[in-house]
Amino acid sequence: MLPYRSRLSVAVFLVPPLALYAVAVLLPIGQSLFLSLFSWDGITDSQFVGLDNYRHLLTDGVFWRAFANSLGYLVICLVLQLGGALAIACLLTSIRRWREVFKVLYLLPAVISTVAIAFLFARIYSVEPEGLLNGVLGAVGLDALQRPWLSDVSTVLAAVSAPEGWRFVGLYTIIVYAALLAVPRDLQEAAALDGANAWQIFWRIRFPYIRPVWITTTIMATTYALRGFDIPYLLTGGGPGQSSELVTTYMYKTAFTSTNYGYASTISVFIVVECLVAVGLILLVLRREKTA
Amino acid sequence: MTTTIAPARTSSVDAPPPPAPSAQHRRSPARIVSRVLVVLIAMVQVYPLLWLFVTSVRPERDFASGNPFGIPGSITWDNYARAFDQGHLGQNILNSLIVTAGAIALIVVLGMMGAYALQVLGFRGSRAVRALFLLGIVVPVQIALVPLFIDYSRVGLLDTYPSMIIPLAAFALPMSIYLFSSFFEYIPRETYEAASMDGAGPYRIFARITLPLSLNTVVTVVMVNAIFIWNDFIFANTFVLSEGRKTIPLGLQNYIGAMGKVDWTATFAAVCVTVTPLLLVFLVLNRAMIYGLESGANKG
Amino acid sequence: MSAARTTRRLRAGLAAVAAVASLGACSGVRGDSGAVTPPGEVKAHPVTWLLSRPADGATITVMKQIAADYAKNHPGFELNLITTPDRPSYIQKFETLAAANKLPEFFDTDATPFAQKLASQGRMLDVSKLLRSYGIYDDYRPIALNYQRFDDGRLYTIPFEYQAEYFFYNKALFAKAGVTVPRTLNDLPATCTALRKAGITPIALDGQDQWPLERYAAYPAFRAAGPSYITKLKYDDASLADPPGQATVTWLAALGKAGCFQSGFSATGYADAQNLFTSGKAAIYNIGTWELPSLATSKLDPKVRQDVDFFTLPNNPGSPTADNEFVAPSGIGMAVNSLTFDPLVRDFLQLALTRYPSLYAATGALSPTTNVTTTIPKDATPLYRKALDQAARVGPQLVMPWDTQLDPTSNTRLQQDLVLLVQGDQSAGSFTQKIDRTIAQNAPKKPGK
């Protein structure tokens, strides 16, 4: 704390950001909480229904299906983004030249808009006309694996999750890569002299060292994945059936297709709680590992 | 979140990369495999952009009846002519620039101010305020759509630039405050104390010390947010009503015709046109951005 | 800004505040939907039309031209066209604007349950009274108006087009597979099987946009019981387990089993489905006359140009409907906001609606009125005229598309589960049960009940 700060100076710096945040984030959350107790279609009179919307949530099969899909989407995104980032960052540290160029290339997909990405992946997964993925499978003799990826209920969730994973893997790679570079060399060399193999060096020295960064990136990736919306919405609209419906797309449709604003707000409240729980769990697990 | 500070304060990331740790055998199979993999991954990441461009110069019928992944039989710029003809690309780009610039300015200025109040000035209850901001990192933007629409219509903000700028900035603010806070932690206490001894108040310290030192973090915050804001679809789609305020993602929708019919090659031409500004900025500033990402997140 | 306009704005603003502050507790925006001749003088001011039509389409082009002419005589007048051609995005925008009480002078909507609520709140003008007061009511094709009506017969939206939907097919591919045009609706699965055997994709379907598959759902029920079935089903007064509903369910399952649609149809977009047909890969394509400029044109790939023909929705023996009764929509309609209706809006609309038919028909499209003749484009093939002639002979009973009839929640569920049914991922029994349950939970209350 600065010795010369005054209450006024704190207020001068704090009030503008807090005001913006309060108006555009906190107020809508409050309004959502309020709306979630009503039944309202936007044009006729709203009715106070108490906890009815929450009761409906508990028995709504589509909602729970969407929740399960969201968890699947989360897992696939995390594996692709964090697992991918760690693997690629390790690969990058093992090459000598062109590292900077590769970093730029890896980050490129993050620049493309989700609308364009959805167009693109619709082409890649297509079967009639034959898309890239099925074309490649056919070319290498794996015809048996060819399928309509976005129409097959068993592959569609993975198919809509992969573009999101692909898109941001470069971002996390760069963060993890920088963390890996920061691991002191002498520690690693000492371990190598003691006869540790590359695997042991990684898990005993490097990974514990980057754990704080790992927690940050995990939280980032998790919250972004729980917000996931654009690509599944644009690629399949949740179909076939409810196979790729996420909680966010379901909420959006409930609000803007069914004009059931009260129930949609109830789902919003659920999403907020879900995200808070997820972040809490991450902190709990990763911190405990640290102390263990 | 304070536990997430990297312990490695000493090793600077912009130092020349040290030789790889497992470099005992330069020509070992493992090294060759890893090189091949690095190149393969780069191809997976870059190919889609190339495909976008190739498709945008492909004749319409060639795209429709041929293999969309093949090499085009001939090249045409007609798609670009149609893209400019059917849409309002210039206006869309201008609108996107205004919205992005406005939101980014708010994110940087307010983020820095908030972090300064929380991290440098400090006050009682700052932990509670920090927690309040963290909530914003976590909640999804979709929840704000209905309430904000209602609020905007009350105060007459619908279909204006601020209607997009306000929520875009507000939802990015927590991450910005977080990044600035973690950076401010690295400015040594002694710097501030010395300045205070010289009689500098909080405003002067902010202007003379904190601000000039945080330029790298500013670049990080700008670039990361620019990507999201430039491509924002959901707020624009909800709050923009007239043609004159449409941003790029909405402009792309003009290529969707009746009953869902899309002029694909013109759409891809439009995508190429609209990706270009961001791509140019990215290619010019990538060093600063990557540096910012590395240091920002690693210090955070 | 005129005083009247200021007051109006103020009133709308206050209403919005009241609606929101009390969460809509009696918003007090009851306009008089009967007042088609507002008193006062014509004072020019900008007018807005919120619409969902292609940005470069004939309707917009023609209306822009009419508005520009009108503005010359009425300085200060301007017609702002806010179009969102993508229908789901449009509906979102339209419904949020309605919720915020910010609907402009004109807005597009189908005769949905949502529109019905707006109408019963007095927020839309009674269009039959309006058209009669202009003296042009009788110019309209009765079925073009009927398509716009609510179930109780009231008319609140103005049609701007008239279309007929056909099964376009490729004669050469039919010959190759040795099949002829299906004589009954129930023959279609067998036609598909034969085409599949010959290595031809039977039907090209735009599954991504949902409505095309939902059309197929409407056909058997219509042939079995006429147009009344869906109007009962949507209020939960009929069940999908009833014979007409089961006719639809079993027919769709049969279509799926016969492999009628291309593989991966649920993710195929509009343009891709059409390309399958126009490139000669698929044999049948079910679409409306709005696609004539791309299906009956000399610009079409010469390989298929001469082979394209169409048949209308096949009938079934013993059907209460006639052969010439099929889907003939007059498109999304335009509603007139009764809260902003003033002498200027009335004056402009009169001119626009009077001039529109001839200008619109000159573009090669079918006018919703009968007082003009459509100009056949120069590059059209003979099929163009044949299609237009057929459209003029449509019978009085209409196949209403189900997506404009069902409540949105049931509609979404139906659209999603239809794909599962056709793909064979869901049994006919469980499909029937789920849809019936969803409709029972979400069906709107019948007006007046």
Side-chain angles (χ1 to χ4, degrees):
Chain A
M1 290 188 186
L2 284 186
Y4 285 120
R5 80 203 153 82
S6 62
R7 268 201 194 162
L8 177 70
S9 66
V10 172
V12 165
F13 283 103
L14 188 65
V15 167
L18 203 55
L20 176 73
Y21 182 71
V23 165
V25 180
L26 296 180
L27 182 65
I29 293 177
Q31 285 173 302
S32 288
L33 261 175
F34 185 63
L35 263 178
S36 73
L37 303 174
F38 288 82
S39 162
W40 189 40
D41 64 2
I43 48 171
T44 53
D45 300 350
S46 67
Q47 283 177 315
F48 180 78
V49 293
L51 295 176
D52 275 8
N53 285 328
Y54 290 89
R55 258 176 238 129
H56 181 216
L57 191 79
L58 292 177
T59 55
D60 182 355
V62 179
F63 170 78
W64 290 106
R65 178 73 199 271
F67 179 61
N69 288 339
S70 286
L71 293 182
Y73 180 84
L74 173 70
V75 169
I76 294 169
C77 284
L78 287 187
V79 168
L80 284 177
Q81 291 177 342
L82 297 180
L86 194 59
I88 298 173
C90 287
L91 277 178
L92 265 185
T93 59
S94 75
I95 63 161
R96 278 162 170 260
R97 268 176 292 178
W98 301 95
R99 289 182 184 192
E100 300 306 311
V101 175
F102 280 117
K103 279 196 280 186
V104 175
L105 296 182
Y106 290 168
L107 203 48
L108 272 183
V111 181
I112 314 174
S113 74
T114 46
V115 180
I117 287 179
F119 290 162
L120 175 76
F121 274 86
R123 294 280 147 203
I124 289 178
Y125 291 131
S126 169
V127 51
E128 227 171 299
E130 191 175 72
L132 184 68
L133 186 53
N134 287 318
V136 169
L137 286 174
V140 298
L142 289 171
D143 305 45
L145 288 179
Q146 285 178 326
R147 63 189 67 239
W149 300 91
L150 291 175
S151 296
D152 190 324
V153 289
S154 56
T155 56
V156 64
L157 187 62
V160 298
S161 314
E164 186 70 23
W166 165 77
R167 192 172 161 223
F168 284 125
V169 69
L171 192 74
Y172 298 113
T173 299
I174 287 168
I175 295 172
V176 174
Y177 169 76
L180 282 177
L181 283 190
V183 180
R185 301 213 33 79
D186 41 357
L187 275 183
Q188 299 181 50
E189 277 158 13
L193 286 179
D194 288 347
N197 62 29
W199 194 247
Q200 287 167 326
I201 290 177
F202 179 81
W203 283 113
R204 301 260 171 83
I205 315 273
R206 290 173 119 189
F207 190 74
Y209 215 85
I210 65 165
R211 188 192 301 276
V213 176
W214 190 249
I215 295 179
T216 314
T217 42
T218 308
I219 292 176
M220 265 175 85
T222 305
T223 54
Y224 276 124
L226 287 176
R227 283 181 195 184
F229 173 80
D230 300 25
I231 294 177
Y233 184 73
L234 293 167
L235 268 182
T236 62
Q242 291 80 32
S243 310
S244 59
E245 195 81 87
L246 303 183
V247 176
T248 45
T249 57
Y250 185 53
M251 185 223 107
Y252 192 81
K253 285 184 191 167
T254 306
F256 295 112
T257 307
S258 304
T259 56
N260 197 343
Y261 295 118
Y263 187 46
S265 301
T266 309
I267 302 175
S268 298
V269 172
F270 179 91
I271 296 174
V272 173
V273 173
E274 168 198 55
C275 291
L276 288 177
V277 169
V279 172
L281 280 179
I282 293 167
L283 289 177
L284 202 72
V285 171
L286 289 179
R287 275 194 200 168
R288 178 169 298 168
E289 271 179 28
K290 188 183 180 183
T291 49
Chain B
M1 284 276 199
T2 41
T3 51
T4 57
I5 295 151
R9 211 178 289 191
T10 43
S11 59
S12 155
V13 282
D14 55 342
S22 55
Q24 301 100 327
H25 310 291
R26 289 207 173 177
R27 294 275 176 262
S28 71
R31 275 182 70 76
I32 293 168
V33 168
S34 66
R35 274 187 198 177
V36 170
L37 278 177
V38 165
V39 174
L40 270 181
I41 295 165
M43 279 164 62
V44 170
Q45 300 296 99
V46 175
Y47 176 76
L49 264 183
L50 283 178
W51 185 83
L52 275 177
F53 179 72
V54 171
T55 307
S56 74
V57 294
R58 191 187 276 274
E60 210 180 350
R61 190 179 289 170
D62 186 43
F63 177 79
S65 55
N67 171 11
F69 288 94
I71 293 167
S74 61
I75 282 180
T76 170
W77 297 98
D78 282 0
N79 302 322
Y80 282 85
R82 277 205 319 286
F84 277 97
D85 213 39
Q86 291 171 23
H88 304 81
L89 286 179
Q91 183 69 48
N92 295 153
I93 291 174
L94 181 69
N95 289 340
S96 280
L97 279 176
I98 292 172
V99 170
T100 308
I104 294 279
L106 279 181
I107 292 168
V108 169
V109 172
L110 296 184
M112 212 186 274
M113 285 166 68
Y116 185 72
L118 286 170
Q119 190 68 43
V120 180
L121 296 180
F123 55 93
R124 246 184 333 153
S126 65
R127 283 179 70 94
V129 175
R130 204 185 280 266
L132 202 59
F133 275 119
L134 281 181
L135 187 66
I137 297 188
V138 172
V139 297
V141 297
Q142 289 90 350
I143 72 146
L145 295 177
V146 180
L148 276 183
F149 191 94
I150 297 170
D151 298 341
Y152 283 160
S153 73
R154 269 197 253 183
V155 296
L157 268 182
L158 276 182
D159 201 23
T160 58
Y161 294 121
S163 69
M164 290 175 272
I165 293 174
I166 289 171
L168 283 169
F171 274 93
L173 195 58
M175 188 53 99
S176 162
I177 289 181
Y178 176 56
L179 285 175
F180 278 116
S181 294
S182 10
F183 173 73
F184 290 168
E185 250 181 319
Y186 284 83
I187 301 177
R189 284 285 96 180
E190 300 78 38
T191 321
Y192 290 129
E193 276 154 19
S196 289
M197 294 298 169
D198 293 344
Y203 307 107
R204 207 196 298 175
I205 291 180
F206 181 73
R208 293 280 166 80
I209 301 178
T210 313
L211 187 67
L213 282 176
S214 3
L215 285 182
N216 273 323
T217 312
V218 170
V219 173
T220 316
V221 171
V222 168
M223 286 307 297
V224 171
N225 286 300
I227 290 175
F228 286 103
I229 294 170
W230 186 260
N231 291 325
D232 164 71
F233 174 74
I234 198 160
F235 286 125
N237 188 43
T238 313
F239 301 136
V240 169
L241 307 176
S242 61
E243 199 63 48
R245 289 281 184 280
K246 280 188 178 176
T247 56
I248 289 166
L250 288 191
L252 290 181
Q253 281 209 316
N254 278 7
Y255 300 95
I256 302 179
M259 322 297 274
K261 190 175 187 180
V262 182
D263 182 345
W264 284 109
T265 45
T267 305
F268 284 120
V271 168
C272 283
V273 172
T274 56
V275 160
T276 309
L278 197 60
L279 202 61
L280 287 179
V281 172
F282 174 71
L283 288 178
V284 172
L285 286 183
N286 70 73
R287 251 169 203 285
M289 180 188 174
I290 288 173
Y291 171 76
L293 268 181
E294 290 171 344
S295 54
N298 280 287
K299 279 169 191 156
Chain C
M1 193 188 289
S2 73
R5 198 166 150 71
T6 316
T7 326
R8 205 173 54 236
R9 278 214 171 164
L10 201 64
R11 194 169 57 161
L14 284 176
V17 172
V20 169
S22 59
L23 284 163
C26 194
S27 48
V29 284
R30 202 155 281 274
D32 181 2
S33 60
V36 294
T37 44
E41 283 174 31
V42 174
K43 279 187 200 145
H45 61 79
V47 167
T48 300
W49 183 5
L50 184 76
L51 72 176
S52 180
R53 301 169 198 262
D56 56 345
T59 301
I60 288 188
T61 320
V62 168
M63 287 300 280
K64 269 186 182 163
Q65 187 189 335
I66 295 173
D69 291 347
Y70 189 79
K72 272 182 214 150
N73 302 323
H74 298 81
F77 172 83
E78 189 190 351
L79 178 65
N80 300 313
L81 295 161
I82 304 175
T83 187
T84 314
D86 177 43
R87 197 56 61 84
S89 310
Y90 174 75
I91 292 172
Q92 182 212 316
K93 186 166 281 184
F94 164 59
E95 288 176 348
T96 23
L97 276 169
N101 250 319
K102 286 279 175 182
L103 286 173
E105 284 84 356
F106 308 122
F107 50 90
D108 279 1
T109 178
D110 284 310
T112 57
F114 187 85
Q116 208 157 355
K117 282 187 204 164
L118 282 180
S120 59
Q121 287 183 328
R123 288 162 74 170
M124 289 155 73
L125 215 57
D126 185 328
V127 159
S128 57
K129 280 187 193 161
L130 181 71
L131 295 180
R132 283 209 174 91
S133 80
Y134 289 154
I136 54 174
Y137 182 89
D138 293 326
D139 292 345
Y140 282 86
R141 295 171 201 262
I143 54 168
L145 291 183
N146 290 345
Y147 179 83
Q148 304 288 337
R149 288 180 201 278
F150 293 128
D151 300 323
D152 56 7
R154 291 180 306 160
L155 182 67
Y156 280 88
T157 51
I158 304 168
F160 276 80
E161 54 189 274
Y162 172 68
Q163 316 279 1
E165 294 183 12
Y166 302 129
F167 287 83
F168 289 90
Y169 72 106
N170 187 314
K171 286 186 281 190
L173 294 180
F174 267 47
K176 191 177 155 198
V179 292
T180 51
V181 170
R183 288 227 237 119
T184 69
L185 200 55
N186 294 334
D187 286 345
L188 193 61
T191 311
C192 293
T193 309
L195 285 162
R196 270 280 173 217
K197 260 192 197 144
I200 299 161
T201 303
I203 305 179
L205 180 76
D206 161 20
Q208 200 174 40
D209 290 301
Q210 318 274 6
W211 63 264
L213 184 60
E214 211 173 357
R215 289 282 203 275
Y216 284 85
Y219 299 151
F222 175 76
R223 286 307 189 202
S228 63
Y229 175 71
I230 180 62
T231 51
K232 284 189 205 143
L233 182 70
K234 71 176 178 181
Y235 292 117
D236 196 31
D237 289 343
S239 155
L240 211 55
D242 298 344
Q246 285 306 295
T248 278
V249 174
T250 46
W251 188 68
L252 285 171
L255 287 185
K257 216 173 218 163
C260 282
F261 305 115
Q262 80 273 15
S263 167
F265 68 85
S266 78
T268 306
Y270 191 113
D272 289 324
Q274 187 166 319
N275 287 337
L276 279 178
F277 180 72
T278 54
S279 63
K281 285 178 193 143
I284 304 175
Y285 178 49
N286 181 206
I287 205 78
T289 40
W290 62 85
E291 280 301 339
L292 281 179
S294 42
L295 294 174
T297 168
S298 52
K299 275 183 278 183
L300 202 61
D301 190 338
K303 278 185 297 185
V304 291
R305 196 187 301 155
Q306 297 309 320
D307 296 327
V308 180
D309 199 353
F310 69 85
F311 56 91
T312 57
L313 179 68
N315 209 336
N316 276 330
S319 166
T321 63
D323 287 356
N324 68 343
E325 292 174 326
F326 43 86
V327 188
S330 55
I332 195 166
M334 185 191 85
V336 183
N337 189 340
S338 54
L339 301 173
T340 55
F341 193 65
D342 63 12
L344 173 96
V345 177
R346 179 182 161 79
D347 189 53
F348 166 69
L349 195 59
Q350 173 156 26
L351 176 96
L353 292 180
T354 315
R355 282 191 61 196
Y356 180 82
S358 59
L359 290 170
Y360 182 67
T363 65
L366 278 164
S367 165
T369 63
T370 49
N371 55 353
V372 290
T373 316
T374 299
T375 314
I376 309 271
K378 283 199 187 73
D379 59 359
T381 59
L383 189 69
Y384 206 105
R385 178 170 297 280
K386 184 181 167 193
L388 295 190
D389 290 347
Q390 178 75 55
R393 294 195 303 267
V394 176
Q397 299 191 91
L398 280 173
V399 185
M400 289 304 286
W402 285 14
D403 51 335
T404 64
Q405 297 294 304
L406 291 167
D407 71 273
T409 312
S410 305
N411 187 50
T412 307
R413 187 71 202 254
L414 173 71
Q415 290 180 335
Q416 289 192 324
D417 284 32
L418 273 178
V419 175
L420 296 181
L421 175 69
V422 173
Q423 286 188 352
D425 289 321
Q426 190 172 31
S427 73
S430 123
F431 173 84
T432 308
Q433 216 176 14
K434 274 188 190 156
I435 300 303
D436 269 341
R437 202 185 314 138
T438 310
I439 294 178
Q441 278 174 3
N442 296 286
K445 286 190 198 82
K446 225 171 183 174
K449 252 191 190 174

